[in-house]
């Protein structure tokens, strides 16, 4: 693992979405490594393994909300409780249109993206993510 | 008259057959407040109340005349000022004299009367209490029945609310998602720069469509189970499970299933629904097996007493349930997520599965007023426990 390597951690239980977003990131910025996790538990496990080497931490964590075992909201809370992990920016990428979820995260200053229904819009979201956090 | 009889603690008097008083003792005179001269030569009517006079003529004297004696006869005497005194009498008729003589000995029974009154009152109270108790019993029974109805309705409406919540989740999320993906994939085809990728995208479209179809058909099955009434019959569990096992083996060629059963009883249930239930459970055991080519399934059954009430606290009525336990030696899962396993379309494994399976199982068991629980350890296999009331209503043979 190269320390200078930029990484995005993407947590989603949906295999299709994992592929789509990872492809979109690769397309927009081939230099960025995408780490994929299928639920919050796996994501936290991976984060624990790099937690003490700040250079290896991702520049962004993208969270889906509805996942089995540990969902996006719970995962987010766990991240906020960790002195080091709370410094990593988080963005929500979910199909949930629930106003409650949107308000919750926008109040916390977290960008909230509803999963898009076209590949073009997907590209725009990914560009925004990279520009804000990983450039 | 002998002096000891005169003041003995008893009422003593004699009279002729026509009721003329021949002699009285002092105790009687004192009690009735008469002088001796006022009584002797007078009729008994003077010291008998009207009721006693009638009783004397119709019963007491005829008895005395016939049998020569009468014991423990209860009469009422009256004093000079007509105060009534309850008296218990023993009498004898001396018929061998020239002029037959009736000898009466009595004691005052104020207290006995009181006891009798109390006894009567107690008897009346007991009868009233018994009556009230019967009413109370009936009320209690009605209450119990209402409580049971209430329990059923509460658990039904809680169930319906939960189902509604799950349905809306399925429609807003589980069906929305593949639909959105179809849009994404078709937009990829439209903007494709690289034709070689198209085949992969089309494959994705097909698989997402298949996913939608399976969700819709799962929902259909679920709705069918909600709307179709249970028609219970007697089911030979051993026979049914053996048949289903054969079917599951055919559907999963290359997997050998070791099947072991213990004391499987006859159960009551809807045959079609039970078929779906056990088929689903066996298929799960095969699908989530640990070793690629084999899985072992063990089924045992026993009976136990369980409270029929599901939600009302402190309500108990125990009935017999059949407990069926299915254990496999498969990959298992973390039991702390077992609540999620029964939700519609919830999947804990990445391994293929319709996700509707266990929610259908739960629905079927609830249709039979039973319960289903699952216990598991990662790598240690899974045990499903089913409780079914031993008797279903309206069983057709």
């Amino acid at each position: 693992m190269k320390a200078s390597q930029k990484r995005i951690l993407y947590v989603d239980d949906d295999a299709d979405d994992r592929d789509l977003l990872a492809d979109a990131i690769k397309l927009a910025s081939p230099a960025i490594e995408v780490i994929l996790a299928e639920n919050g538990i796996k994501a936290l496990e991976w984060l624990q393994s790099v937690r003490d080497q700040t250079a290896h931490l991702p520049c962004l964590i993208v969270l889906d909300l509805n996942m089995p075992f540990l969902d996006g909201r719970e995962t987010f809370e766990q991240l906020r409780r960790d002195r080091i992990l709370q410094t990593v920016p988080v963005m929500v990428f979910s199909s949930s249109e629930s106003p409650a979820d949107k308000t919750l995260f926008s109040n916390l200053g977290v960008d909230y993206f509803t999963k898009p229904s076209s590949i073009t819009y997907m590209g725009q979201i990914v560009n925004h993510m990279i520009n804000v956090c990983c450039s | 008259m002998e002096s000891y009889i005169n003041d003995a603690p008893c009422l003593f008097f004699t009279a002729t057959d026509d009721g003329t008083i021949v002699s009285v003792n002092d105790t009687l005179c004192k009690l009735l407040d008469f002088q001796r001269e006022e009584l002797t030569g007078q009729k008994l009517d003077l010291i008998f109340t009207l009721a006693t006079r009638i009783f004397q003529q119709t019963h007491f004297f005829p008895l005395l005349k016939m049998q020569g004696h009468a014991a423990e006869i209860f009469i009422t005497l009256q004093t000079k000022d007509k105060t009534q005194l309850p008296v218990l009498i023993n009498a004898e008729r001396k018929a061998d004299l020239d002029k037959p003589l009736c000898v009466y000995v009595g004691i005052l029974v104020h207290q006995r009367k009181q006891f009798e009154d109390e006894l009567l009152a107690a008897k009346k109270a007991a009868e009233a209490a018994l009556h009230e108790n019967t009413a109370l019993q009936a009320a209690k029974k009605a209450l119990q029945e209402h409580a049971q109805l209430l329990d059923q309705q509460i658990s039904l409406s809680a169930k319906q609310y939960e189902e509604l919540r799950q349905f809306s989740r399925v429609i807003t999320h589980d069906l929305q998602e593949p639909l959105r993906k179809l849009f994404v994939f078709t937009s990829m085809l439209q903007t494709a720069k690289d034709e070689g990728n198209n085949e992969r995208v089309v494959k994705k479209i097909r698989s997402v469509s298949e996913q939608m179809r399976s969700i819709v058909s799962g929902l259909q099955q679920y709705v069918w189970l909600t709307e179709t009434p249970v028609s219970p019959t007697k089911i030979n569990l051993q026979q049914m499970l053996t048949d289903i096992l054969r079917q599951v083996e055919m559907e999963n060629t290359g997997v050998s299933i070791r099947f072991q059963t213990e004391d499987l009883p006859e159960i009551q249930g809807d045959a079609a629904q039970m078929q779906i239930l056990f088929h689903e459970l066996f298929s799960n055991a095969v699908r989530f097996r640990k070793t690629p080519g084999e899985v072992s399934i063990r089924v045992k059954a026993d009976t136990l007493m369980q409270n029929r009430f599901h939600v009302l606290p402190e309500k108990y009525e125990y009935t017999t349930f059949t407990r069926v336990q299915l254990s496999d030696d498969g990959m298992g899962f973390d039991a702390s997520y077992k609540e999620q396993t029964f939700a519609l379309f919830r999947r804990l494994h990445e391994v293929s599965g319709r996700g509707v399976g266990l929610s259908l199982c739960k629905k079927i068991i609830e249709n039979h007023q039973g319960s289903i629980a699952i216990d598991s350890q990662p790598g240690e296999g899974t045990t499903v426990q089913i409780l079914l009331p031993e008797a279903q209503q309206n069983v057709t043979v």
Side-chain angles (χ1 to χ4, degrees):
Chain A
M1 224 189 266
K2 283 182 290 173
S4 59
Q5 172 97 55
K6 289 217 187 308
R7 296 186 182 87
I8 293 178
L9 169 63
Y10 175 37
V11 194
D12 197 328
D13 61 324
D14 189 305
D16 288 330
D17 284 332
R18 287 201 300 267
D19 288 349
L20 284 170
L21 195 80
D23 286 352
I25 293 171
K26 284 254 150 61
L27 194 69
S29 178
I32 296 177
E33 186 189 2
V34 184
I35 313 288
L36 297 172
E38 63 190 51
N39 60 54
I41 292 176
K42 300 229 165 128
L44 290 170
E45 272 169 18
W46 181 79
L47 284 166
Q48 281 306 322
S49 74
V50 295
R51 181 182 176 279
D52 298 323
Q53 306 145 272
T54 322
H56 288 160
L57 284 173
C59 52
L60 170 67
I61 298 169
V62 179
L63 275 183
D64 177 30
L65 290 187
N66 297 315
M67 295 180 285
F69 303 118
L70 194 67
D71 70 20
R73 303 163 196 85
E74 294 161 331
T75 309
F76 183 76
E77 274 177 39
Q78 301 249 352
L79 290 174
R80 284 294 119 135
R81 261 185 245 134
D82 187 294
R83 189 173 49 84
I84 293 174
L85 298 181
Q86 66 180 211
T87 62
V88 181
V90 172
M91 288 188 189
V92 172
F93 185 65
S94 164
S95 54
S96 166
E97 299 271 9
S98 146
D101 282 332
K102 289 185 177 175
T103 320
L104 174 76
F105 284 100
S106 77
N107 287 345
L108 292 165
V110 171
D111 280 353
Y112 191 109
F113 298 102
T114 308
K115 285 181 182 172
S117 53
S118 90
I119 199 71
T120 320
Y121 187 33
M122 178 81 98
Q124 289 171 5
I125 293 173
V126 165
N127 283 335
H128 173 84
M129 288 175 172
I130 295 171
N131 286 339
V132 174
C133 300
C134 305
S135 55
Chain B
M1 189 179 299
E2 301 290 347
S3 69
Y4 56 81
I5 289 185
N6 232 343
D7 56 6
C10 68
L11 314 172
F12 180 90
F13 56 101
T14 59
T16 57
D17 276 356
D18 68 356
T20 307
I21 297 171
V22 179
S23 64
V24 294
N25 71 347
D26 282 350
T27 315
L28 183 79
C29 295
K30 241 181 257 169
L31 186 71
L32 299 186
D33 200 21
F34 281 107
Q35 298 299 319
R36 187 184 301 263
E37 309 78 60
E38 289 178 293
L39 292 176
T40 46
Q42 298 300 315
K43 293 284 182 195
L44 280 173
D45 294 359
L46 187 63
I47 58 169
F48 282 1
T49 60
L50 178 63
T52 303
R53 267 176 251 156
I54 295 168
F55 181 68
Q56 157 84 358
Q57 282 161 22
T58 57
H59 288 89
F60 197 2
F61 183 68
L63 189 71
L64 209 51
K65 203 170 169 186
M66 197 163 64
Q67 294 192 344
H69 60 88
E72 290 183 46
I73 304 297
F74 183 70
I75 62 168
T76 310
L77 298 183
Q78 60 185 13
T79 62
K80 200 178 198 170
D81 63 358
K82 310 287 182 209
T83 305
Q84 301 195 348
L85 298 170
V87 172
L88 201 63
I89 297 281
N90 278 0
E92 217 177 74
R93 181 166 174 267
K94 298 195 179 297
D96 47 350
L97 303 176
D98 322 337
K99 222 177 174 192
L101 189 70
C102 296
V103 181
Y104 299 85
V105 179
I107 49 168
L108 198 60
V109 286
H110 265 312
Q111 279 189 338
R112 180 189 142 117
K113 181 88 170 66
Q114 197 183 327
F115 288 153
E116 275 179 356
D117 286 348
E118 279 172 12
L119 212 61
L120 202 68
K123 195 180 160 205
K124 270 185 190 158
E127 274 169 359
L130 190 70
H131 183 72
E132 266 174 35
N133 197 32
T134 317
L136 211 62
Q137 292 281 348
K140 197 177 156 195
K141 188 157 172 270
L143 200 66
Q144 181 88 353
E145 282 167 6
H146 289 160
Q148 205 175 322
L149 199 65
L150 188 68
D151 186 80
Q152 279 171 1
Q153 280 171 350
I154 293 175
S155 79
L156 185 69
S157 74
K159 212 166 68 188
Q160 284 172 340
Y161 173 74
E162 180 53 29
E163 276 172 7
L164 201 63
R165 226 174 49 84
Q166 291 188 17
F167 262 85
S168 83
R169 178 176 53 75
V170 169
I171 291 162
T172 57
H173 182 263
D174 301 18
L175 272 179
Q176 200 75 266
E177 271 300 274
L179 202 56
R180 180 186 59 79
K181 283 190 212 160
L182 286 182
F183 274 109
V184 176
F185 290 133
T186 48
S187 81
M188 283 169 87
L189 285 183
Q190 280 173 330
T191 59
K193 292 155 198 146
D194 167 15
E195 294 272 324
N197 206 21
N198 285 0
E199 201 183 324
R200 195 174 66 99
V201 176
V202 170
K203 232 184 211 169
K204 288 267 187 196
I205 291 176
R206 293 190 62 87
S207 113
V208 171
S209 311
E210 170 56 28
Q211 203 182 325
M212 286 187 81
R213 197 203 56 77
S214 114
I215 290 175
V216 172
S217 96
L219 280 182
Q220 272 174 335
Q221 236 179 326
Y222 198 84
V223 170
W224 174 76
L225 282 174
T226 308
E227 289 177 342
T228 316
V230 169
S231 60
T233 54
K234 286 183 177 170
I235 296 168
N236 178 333
L237 197 54
Q238 179 75 43
Q239 185 61 48
M240 178 181 261
L241 294 190
T242 312
D243 291 347
I244 294 171
L245 186 80
R246 213 163 290 144
Q247 200 183 331
V248 172
E249 267 175 332
M250 271 177 6
E251 290 162 0
N252 295 274
T253 42
V255 183
S256 95
I257 306 174
R258 282 193 309 276
F259 187 51
Q260 211 186 324
T261 57
E262 251 174 69
D263 308 324
L264 297 189
E266 197 172 64
I267 59 167
Q268 289 186 2
D270 186 299
Q273 296 193 13
M274 287 295 155
Q275 194 98 27
I276 297 175
L277 170 79
F278 288 110
H279 184 270
E280 197 62 47
L281 293 177
F282 282 2
S283 299
N284 271 345
V286 172
R287 196 179 298 144
F288 303 121
R289 65 189 180 273
K290 197 161 50 182
T291 27
E294 59 174 23
V295 63
S296 72
I297 302 173
R298 215 161 58 105
V299 185
K300 57 176 183 175
D302 55 6
T303 57
L304 78 167
M305 299 297 281
Q306 269 267 323
N307 191 3
R308 222 144 59 114
F309 287 96
H310 294 298
V311 285
L312 289 185
E314 289 173 38
K315 275 280 168 197
Y316 303 100
E317 190 185 323
Y318 285 85
T319 45
T320 312
F321 280 77
T322 305
R323 171 168 61 184
V324 183
Q325 284 176 294
L326 293 93
S327 314
D328 65 46
D329 62 349
M331 57 173 82
F333 62 90
D334 188 338
S336 45
Y337 303 106
K338 59 186 174 190
E339 291 308 318
Q340 297 184 20
T341 56
F342 292 110
L344 267 175
F345 302 107
R346 277 288 152 91
R347 265 170 289 189
L348 292 184
H349 289 278
E350 286 277 298
V351 184
S352 74
R354 282 178 305 153
V356 75
L358 278 176
S359 60
L360 288 185
C361 295
K362 186 164 187 241
K363 183 85 204 162
I364 290 169
I365 290 299
E366 281 171 356
N367 283 351
H368 289 77
Q369 268 76 49
S371 63
I372 184 167
I374 193 161
D375 203 13
S376 190
Q377 285 284 320
E380 300 289 316
T382 302
T383 297
V384 176
Q385 175 179 285
I386 293 165
L387 290 182
L388 274 177
E390 200 169 56
Q392 294 285 330
Q393 279 146 9
N394 315 318
V395 179
T396 47
V397 183

